[in-house]
Amino acid sequence: MKPCEEEEEQGGAAAAGGGGDPWKECAELAVQLALRAGQIIRKALTEEKQVSTKTSAADLVTETDHFVENLIISVLKEKFPSHRFIAEESTAAGSKCVLTDSPTWIIDPVDGTCNFVHRFPTVAVSIGFAVNRELEFGVIYHCTEERLYTGRRGQGAFCNDKRLQVSKETDISKALILTEIGPKRDPATLKLFLGNIERLLKAQAHGVRVIGSSTLALCHLAAGAADAYYQFGLHCWDLAAATVIIREAGGTVIDTSGGPLDLMSCRVIAAGTREMAMFIAQEIQTIHYRRDDEN
Amino acid sequence: PITTPTLLEEAYTITIDVYCPYFAPFLHITIIKKVSTLKPNFNIFSITLTIGRRRRGSGSSPGACALARLRLGEGEPAAGGKGCAVVLDVGVLEVPLILPGFYGFIGEESVAAGEGSILTDNPTWIIDPIDGTTNFVHRFPFVAVSIGFVVNKKIEFGIVYSCVEDKMYTARKGKGAFCNGQKLQVSGQEDITKSLLVTELGSNRDPETIKIILSNMERLLSIPIHGIRAVGTAAVNMCLVATGGADAYYEMGIHCWDMAGAGIIITEAGGVLLDVSGGPFDLMSRRIIAASSRAIGERIAKALQIIPLKRDDATN
């Protein structure tokens, strides 16, 4: 299955030359780590948790987030000492969030921490990988349902070995849309957030759903179970793996302005079709968040 | 208390054709009450509910069965296997049925489409064969069968089967609530600022209604709370509260058949049901707060502006 058209400029000749997949070993290790992390998270879900807040009262973190991230990074660092890492908790601790040409792992150890804290079952591990600033593969593991989503550039996207295909819906009045609230909860942000939902409902969308994990919502999109996703306030570690999976399933991932995806911009629109994505880009109003690569 | 069930002399079949408004396929529901062993303690694990799907004229679409997985208790799946059977046996005669009226007609009962459903003291089944129809149409994996059984206007038992997740939630008055055999307990959260709430935007697209729904969400998010979730089915939303995974559910605009199954699952898990005004819960009122504690429920009631709605038992 070919990736989407707008990927052509970035595609380049990376896969030229046939032969083996240079990142196959990395992708396989990513799967192993995701499964292992998922097991740890599944177990921790039932236990007592120490919870702290980050940027707002709704932006939560636990020791499981830290533990899982350290585990993944330490295994990868040992195997691939020249590789770089962008990960949620390391960034919170002060690491820079800059994508260079080096092979870079982009990790969200627990996507849906608020769900995790509450034992709301929608929780995932997300591991993305980029080389020369191009997303190469992604692994997202739904920890409680034990569903493994994978995407490898040029090789399709899968959920537990079942090939993924996005919805072909172009009409907003037949669309099921997913979104997330994001961490900011000040009055101006809430007004914009709810105003965007109002616009989409006025356009007669079938419905809007919020499941509490952006990576898993994006996977539902890749599976064709929803027609569009949009959000302000997510991060590069939520987007890296899911973008590959959606594009390999035939979908479109762009910036909320309608332009090309900007991985560090903390905003996204993803849809089964370009028409759907562009309609939403025109409808929604921007909620400003600091970029991931800003200091 | 329920009277001892009488043995049926003959089995009979109620067939309901459910028209799914978004596109062509019919959802075909057959409810078969079988003559079976007498179960004096009213063990509910014996109702037959078959969900199939067929396109008008051209046979079943592939994957039509995928959303209604399986089966509980003894019994055979329906012949012709387009659907999957939840098999339960009931030894009760002649109970009235309340089903989504606008979906269509009921073959052998006399609840006409569009008329109010009057809840009497008689034993009454209140069934939503597919809660989460929009999800069903989109293959968004939260779709449930909801069955509530009400006597003297009180819910005696409830079943919610979340088909894709294969989670069977059940509760019997006084006997606790369970999901796939695991006992359920609500979170008990009393602090609204640490709460995760579940609700829906609903199917009403009237601009004034949308404004009220969104302003209610705004008020709650501003308290602040941890977050809001919306998976697209009232029954599953309520079951998530019963598991402790969320702290409360509220909605205005749903129907008695969305609440009857899950309502008792919540209370048997230690939760409370309230009206959105903070007063006592009313199954026919089209509205509900289902909370892990009275404190959370009452705090939510304070934040809600009420949407005027026609009751399920309103006639005309």
Side-chain angles (χ1 to χ4, degrees):
Chain A
M1 172 168 290
K2 272 186 66 162
C4 271
E5 291 305 311
E6 63 259 34
E7 280 308 282
E8 289 302 328
E9 357 123 15
Q10 292 182 17
D21 175 354
W23 308 115
K24 184 161 187 246
E25 194 190 0
C26 292
E28 283 168 356
L29 185 53
V31 167
Q32 295 313 311
L33 285 168
L35 293 172
R36 192 160 150 205
Q39 204 175 30
I40 293 168
I41 291 166
R42 244 191 327 276
K43 179 163 177 293
L45 199 64
T46 59
E47 293 165 357
E48 281 299 310
K49 300 170 188 69
Q50 300 274 41
V51 185
S52 320
T53 57
K54 294 195 289 190
T55 64
S56 78
D59 190 5
L60 307 179
V61 63
T62 69
E63 71 271 17
T64 305
D65 299 67
H66 294 292
F67 182 81
V68 167
E69 183 168 310
N70 291 339
L71 170 71
I72 294 175
I73 292 179
S74 61
V75 170
L76 292 172
K77 254 190 185 144
E78 200 189 329
K79 193 95 206 257
F80 308 108
S82 66
H83 287 191
R84 301 173 80 119
F85 298 88
I86 296 175
E88 175 157 20
E89 304 317 326
S90 316
T91 303
S95 277
K96 283 219 194 316
C97 216
V98 175
L99 194 58
T100 64
D101 288 346
S102 301
T104 305
W105 298 85
I106 306 170
I107 300 164
D108 190 342
V110 181
D111 181 45
T113 300
C114 185
N115 286 353
F116 175 72
V117 166
H118 285 270
R119 298 184 189 160
F120 191 86
T122 314
V123 176
V125 189
S126 177
I127 301 177
F129 184 75
V131 183
N132 298 323
R133 283 168 238 250
E134 175 161 24
L135 297 169
E136 287 293 338
F137 66 74
V139 173
I140 296 173
Y141 183 52
H142 189 317
C143 304
T144 59
E145 295 282 309
E146 300 185 47
R147 281 198 301 263
L148 182 74
Y149 295 88
T150 57
R152 174 75 184 97
R153 191 167 64 86
Q155 295 174 32
F158 296 84
C159 174
N160 287 357
D161 300 327
K162 183 172 160 242
R163 188 134 197 165
L164 296 177
Q165 167 70 50
V166 290
S167 129
K168 294 188 169 52
E169 189 55 69
T170 56
D171 183 352
I172 190 72
S173 71
K174 297 189 171 55
L176 183 66
I177 302 171
L178 310 185
T179 189
E180 294 296 330
I181 305 174
K184 286 207 297 187
R185 300 297 167 85
D186 57 280
T189 297
L190 290 179
K191 280 206 152 27
L192 286 168
F193 171 76
L194 295 167
N196 285 339
I197 291 183
E198 191 174 9
R199 284 155 191 262
L200 295 172
L201 293 180
K202 284 207 163 129
Q204 304 304 312
H206 276 181
V208 179
R209 305 282 179 261
V210 176
I211 64 173
S213 158
S214 44
T215 61
L216 290 177
L218 290 163
C219 287
H220 282 308
L221 181 74
D227 304 290
Y229 179 87
Y230 71 96
Q231 193 192 336
F232 298 94
L234 77 175
H235 296 279
C236 56
W237 46 79
D238 298 314
L239 283 170
T243 298
V244 178
I245 293 169
I246 290 171
R247 285 176 175 161
E248 285 299 315
T252 295
V253 185
I254 58 172
D255 183 64
T256 51
S257 64
L261 174 71
D262 178 352
L263 195 65
M264 300 293 174
S265 65
C266 293
R267 59 198 209 184
V268 70
I269 294 175
T273 63
R274 191 167 181 84
E275 290 87 331
M276 181 72 73
M278 292 308 295
F279 180 91
I280 293 176
Q282 281 152 28
E283 278 302 307
I284 61 178
Q285 293 187 294
T286 303
I287 300 172
H288 287 286
Y289 275 88
R290 247 181 46 193
R291 297 174 57 86
D292 279 331
D293 53 8
E294 228 167 85
N295 234 9
Chain B
I2 301 177
T3 55
T4 307
T6 351
L7 194 61
L8 289 173
E9 289 304 318
E10 55 192 18
Y12 63 100
T13 302
I14 300 166
T15 302
I16 302 102
D17 281 326
V18 174
Y19 181 66
C20 181
Y22 292 123
F23 62 87
F26 278 82
L27 303 169
H28 179 74
I29 292 101
T30 304
I31 299 179
I32 301 169
K33 292 181 185 174
K34 282 166 108 153
V35 178
S36 179
T37 47
L38 187 63
K39 288 184 163 60
N41 295 323
F42 222 96
N43 183 332
I44 57 171
F45 291 94
S46 288
I47 301 169
T48 304
L49 182 73
T50 307
I51 301 173
R53 191 169 125 180
R54 55 184 166 82
R55 281 191 195 280
R56 242 194 299 230
S58 61
S60 170
S61 63
C65 190
L67 290 187
R69 210 144 317 151
L70 230 347
R71 114 160 109 205
L72 160 76
E74 307 123 27
E76 297 299 311
K82 294 253 163 53
C84 307
V86 171
V87 178
L88 303 128
D89 233 294
V90 178
V92 177
L93 255 184
E94 295 294 329
V95 288
L97 273 169
I98 294 180
L99 282 150
F102 64 85
Y103 277 152
F105 66 96
I106 296 173
E108 296 186 14
E109 301 288 340
S110 57
V111 178
E115 278 187 6
S117 317
I118 308 290
L119 183 64
T120 65
D121 286 345
N122 292 336
T124 304
W125 295 94
I126 304 183
I127 298 176
D128 191 346
I130 303 229
D131 187 41
T133 314
T134 303
N135 286 357
F136 182 76
V137 163
H138 286 272
R139 295 176 192 250
F140 190 70
F142 295 96
V143 175
V145 183
S146 171
I147 300 173
F149 186 73
V150 175
V151 182
N152 297 325
K153 302 196 179 92
K154 293 266 186 320
I155 308 175
E156 283 294 325
F157 65 78
I159 304 166
V160 173
Y161 179 49
S162 178
C163 313
V164 183
E165 305 180 279
D166 198 15
K167 290 185 178 160
M168 179 72 76
Y169 296 91
T170 59
R172 172 90 175 85
K173 195 160 85 176
K175 300 270 199 309
F178 297 83
C179 176
N180 290 353
Q182 275 222 310
K183 198 159 165 72
L184 299 179
Q185 177 68 48
V186 291
S187 69
Q189 182 62 258
E190 308 224 325
D191 182 351
I192 191 83
T193 66
K194 294 188 169 56
S195 69
L196 183 65
L197 303 185
V198 203
T199 190
E200 292 296 332
L201 296 163
S203 50
N204 193 329
R205 295 288 175 263
D206 163 58
E208 284 315 304
T209 304
I210 292 175
K211 274 195 157 36
I212 298 176
I213 290 173
L214 294 176
S215 77
N216 284 338
M217 288 174 70
E218 188 174 2
R219 255 185 302 277
L220 289 165
L221 286 166
S222 305
I223 293 176
I225 56 177
H226 276 176
I228 291 183
R229 302 286 176 262
V231 310
T233 121
V236 175
N237 282 340
M238 288 171 73
C239 289
L240 286 165
V241 175
T243 65
D247 303 297
Y249 164 75
Y250 74 92
E251 194 170 351
M252 290 175 271
I254 55 178
H255 295 274
C256 58
W257 48 76
D258 299 315
M259 304 189 261
I264 187 162
I265 294 169
I266 292 248
T267 53
E268 285 296 316
V272 301
L273 301 181
L274 297 172
D275 183 60
V276 294
S277 63
F281 170 62
D282 176 351
L283 186 61
M284 308 308 263
S285 67
R286 305 281 308 280
R287 52 200 219 193
I288 187 172
I289 296 175
S292 60
S293 70
R294 186 158 287 273
I296 290 256
E298 285 173 355
R299 180 61 185 88
I300 293 169
K302 266 178 61 177
L304 295 180
Q305 182 186 347
I306 295 181
I307 299 165
L309 291 159
K310 198 170 114 171
R311 295 174 57 88
D312 275 333
D313 52 11
T315 45
N316 91 306

